[in-house]
Amino acid sequence: MSKPQGSNVKERAKSALKDEFLIDAVKFTTEKLKNGKKAATEEHGNWEEWRERGRLIRAHTISHLDYYLSKFIENARAQGVHVHFAPEAKDAARIAIEIAKHRGAKSVVKSKSMVSEEVHINEAFEELGIESIESDLGEYIIQLANEPPSHIIIPAIHKNRYQIADLLSKEAGETLPPETKILAGFARRKLRDKFLEADIGLTGCNFGIAETGSVVIFENEGNARMVSTVPKTQITLMGMERLIPSWDDLEVMATLLPRSATGQKLTVYMSGITGPRREHDGDGPEEMHIIIVDNGRSLQLGDPEFQELLNCIRCGACLNACPVYRHIGGHSYPGTYSGPIGAVLTPALNKNTQEWHDVANASSLCGACYEACPVKIPLHDMLVYLRNRKVERGYTASGEKMAMKGFKMLMGSHKLFRKAVKAGQIGQKLLVRDGYIRSQIGPLKGWTAYRHIPALPKRSFREQWPGLSAEIEKSIQPMSGEMELRMEEIVQARRKGGGHA
Amino acid sequence: MSKSDPEFLSKLSRESQAAEKLFIGNIATRLGRSAISPAPEHPFRGAPEFWTSYELGREEQIARFMGNWQAAGGFTERLATMSDLPGVIARILREQNAGSMIRQNLTELEQLGLEEQLPELRHAAWDGLDAEDSLRTAEQADAGIVLADFAVAYTGSIVVTSSTDKGRSVSLLPNILIAVIPADRMHTRLGEVMSRIASVPGEQFPAGVHFISGPSRSSDIENDLTIGVHGPGVAFALIVG
Ligand code: SF4
């Protein structure tokens, strides 16, 4: 898949920022999603109580994951599901391929699944000559463009209608006008045939319900319903942490997820699929497989600093809230997941300490991600842990070590932080050579908000900097007392050498 | 070939049992346990307490449901009795220029006598025993008519479950969806429906439980809302009673 060129976040962001539309589209859409969430949560009311309940349910499930996962497996099997285990990404692909080969499958039709991106399932099928088609409109578009998704909820957030018209016109063999209705209509017709032909339907899974062994999928288009209704065989890829204990708990997730993702009260479709079709049902898969994927998730278990990562319900709210994501877009992050959750999850899943350096810095520590998160994952704390671990393990320039020492002072004072940002702004001007930021000197080296502003070509830098810096400053909210306290605790714990490797 | 051969499946099953031990064992170990945790207390189950006492009266429920369904881009009508249904459905299907329809194979829907009301239409009822034919008919039908198992006022959702007589395709493949909702199947909160679903015993548990909250939609092209992407683009909710 082609991503913007460049080996680290800074370079990728640089290339991403050259695409003017990307900047506008990402800002426009994230703003809209953010406002939608705000309106929906205010209308619903008592949001903090709901968040806390969501956090408790997820935290409880994860801390008894061995029990709930076993229950889920037992109940799914009782309904006739074939359950498989993939400790690593490659195992998931291997199992899916084994099933597809045995079924003599020629084509697979897919609904949205971030796990399938993790395990590169399309590539695996295609190597065997099995056609694998994305059916979510956004996923279909980026599949035609041969790009990975740049947002968890809106995968083609970075494409405008002209680019989409070009991509679909190639598929259609005729020129389609850049009109949403017509483009969507073409995709509907084209994909309808694919649904009817496909041998295998491949889905993701938002939640697995332990008490009944059900797979729950949230969506708006109806493509996941198609994928789980028409093909004779269904394969569901499920991250091992996707569980909730009961249908009662689903009410809480259904209250939190759509509102946080798009501001909807509920997605148009929420489907609970429990085993293959019953004996005399006329539709639904005759055979159903669930592949449960670890791929680095279990490494977070028992790690007090990162276990909460597994509570994530993949709503994308932290992306929409993040001033850095809004500026550089999803392709600037390495790996499948972008934004604040991606910045922490990617290195955590990979246990790749060197990469931590790169992605952990791609955020501003402003705490907006935590405020946005419907299950209260302290992503900004985790970013601090990541930076600290990196410092401890010596994967960092000495400047960063100094920056970490200055952390407490700066973080303790919002005013100081803002000042520092301003200082950074002045500092950066000195650094632009040949149109790019060459090296970083100055007071905020390593980890401040400004660091994440990618280096830009000279002209564009000069043009954009005033706007960028104003926007970022605006986005930096004063820290809440609670958050400040936690930051303080982290620093104290670190001083005492209380690390968990 | 509709199912994999038993030998292949039993090989997968053996592999699965072996892998499960390691997989779950690893989780337990990481969580600091030597064996799988016994059934834990779950004190946070379901919605917060203040919410479980939230109740709307029947009229409020219906008004809320209709408001939500319309806001999602759907159409609603309120009817006094089931005997008003045939006329209303006939009018809708004519207005929508439907040439064919498929309905769930339920007595309540059969008794509407739509065949007599609309002799010019092709009529079909879902038949799980004739799977291929039913699927083809649903794929070609202009309209699908379902009787909702439940409805939820607060989210503006109907719930349909699958069975031999109630194909999932009926509410999915045709471009027009007509959902009949007897008023006494309306509830205020999602949770009320969740607990009813969860209480169905395993042997009777439906393979598909679908919450539907309006017409199919997408915002994937420049965040511009498009209605009717893969599922029905026209969605009527007819509340009876
Ligand atoms: S970390 Fe929180 S806000 Fe971000 S995607 Fe996960 S659940 Fe949503």
Side-chain angles (χ1 to χ4, degrees), chain A residues 115-311:
Chain A
V115 176
S116 78
E117 303 280 346
E118 262 178 65
V119 308
H120 302 294
I121 206 87
N122 287 343
E123 290 87 334
F125 282 133
E126 256 141 44
E127 260 172 45
L128 283 176
I130 299 172
E131 184 186 52
S132 177
I133 297 249
E134 297 286 351
S135 63
D136 170 88
L137 183 54
E139 294 277 352
Y140 179 60
I141 291 165
I142 59 167
Q143 186 181 32
L144 293 177
N146 195 27
E147 287 171 14
S150 68
H151 189 284
I152 303 182
I153 302 292
I154 319 271
I157 194 169
H158 58 290
K159 288 256 177 275
N160 66 31
R161 70 183 68 206
Y162 301 96
Q163 295 167 306
I164 294 168
D166 281 350
L167 289 164
L168 295 183
S169 295
K170 248 183 243 154
E171 261 325 272
E174 57 174 313
T175 307
L176 300 172
E179 283 167 41
T180 310
K181 243 191 137 72
I182 293 173
L183 298 173
F186 166 75
R188 177 189 167 102
R189 283 192 306 280
K190 172 95 187 177
L191 291 169
R192 189 50 83 99
D193 293 339
K194 297 290 178 190
F195 289 124
L196 296 172
E197 282 163 15
D199 303 298
I200 293 179
L202 194 141
T203 79
C205 167
N206 291 101
F207 298 102
I209 301 182
E211 70 176 342
T212 51
S214 311
V215 166
V216 181
I217 302 174
F218 288 71
E219 52 144 356
N220 282 320
E221 296 181 7
N223 62 310
R225 285 194 65 194
M226 298 290 287
V227 167
S228 59
T229 295
V230 184
K232 293 274 196 288
T233 304
Q234 178 179 333
I235 301 177
T236 294
L237 287 171
M238 179 177 101
M240 65 171 217
E241 82 288 18
R242 289 291 107 215
L243 297 180
I244 47 174
S246 66
W247 284 81
D248 287 340
D249 297 311
L250 181 60
E251 179 181 19
V252 179
M253 298 305 141
T255 299
L256 295 171
L257 177 57
R259 284 183 177 81
S260 301
T262 56
Q264 288 171 280
K265 291 197 174 73
L266 192 60
T267 46
V268 174
Y269 303 108
M270 175 174 76
S271 303
I273 298 164
T274 312
R277 69 166 74 167
R278 304 296 179 254
E279 199 186 341
H280 298 299
D281 284 4
D283 55 7
E286 292 177 10
E287 192 172 301
M288 181 169 172
H289 299 266
I290 299 177
I291 304 176
I292 301 172
V293 179
D294 182 335
N295 196 30
R297 288 166 172 77
S298 62
L299 295 170
Q300 317 316 315
L301 289 171
D303 182 332
E305 289 172 349
F306 291 100
Q307 182 165 315
E308 279 177 85
L309 266 184
L310 302 180
N311 298 359

Side-chain angles (χ1 to χ4, degrees), chain B residues 111-214:
Chain B
Q111 281 170 350
L112 297 177
L114 291 171
E115 284 87 347
E116 289 98 78
Q117 288 273 339
L118 293 157
E120 70 275 22
L121 247 71
R122 267 173 291 129
H123 295 260
W126 180 265
D127 179 6
L129 298 175
D130 192 357
E132 294 302 317
D133 208 44
S134 281
L135 190 69
R136 210 171 314 117
T137 309
E139 214 286 305
Q140 283 158 11
D142 294 323
I145 303 180
V146 300
L147 183 69
D149 292 54
F150 308 100
V152 180
Y154 193 76
T155 55
S157 315
I158 63 157
V159 184
V160 288
T161 57
S162 65
S163 73
T164 307
D165 294 321
K166 301 188 292 179
R168 309 176 194 192
S169 303
V170 180
S171 62
L172 180 64
L173 298 180
N175 191 42
I176 304 162
L177 170 65
I178 299 178
V180 176
I181 307 158
D184 58 4
R185 296 189 181 186
M186 182 82 71
H187 299 274
T188 304
R189 293 167 283 112
L190 274 177
E192 296 167 67
V193 172
M194 298 300 180
S195 59
R196 284 172 170 79
I197 291 169
S199 67
V200 177
E203 325 76 69
Q204 290 157 35
F205 207 88
V209 176
H210 301 282
F211 289 73
I212 303 173
S213 309

Side-chain angles (χ1 to χ4, degrees), chain A residues 152 312-318 341 373-375 377 379:
Chain A
I152 303 182
C312 173
I313 58 173
R314 306 278 191 270
C315 70
C318 57
I341 180 65
C373 179
V375 290
I377 301 175
L379 288 167

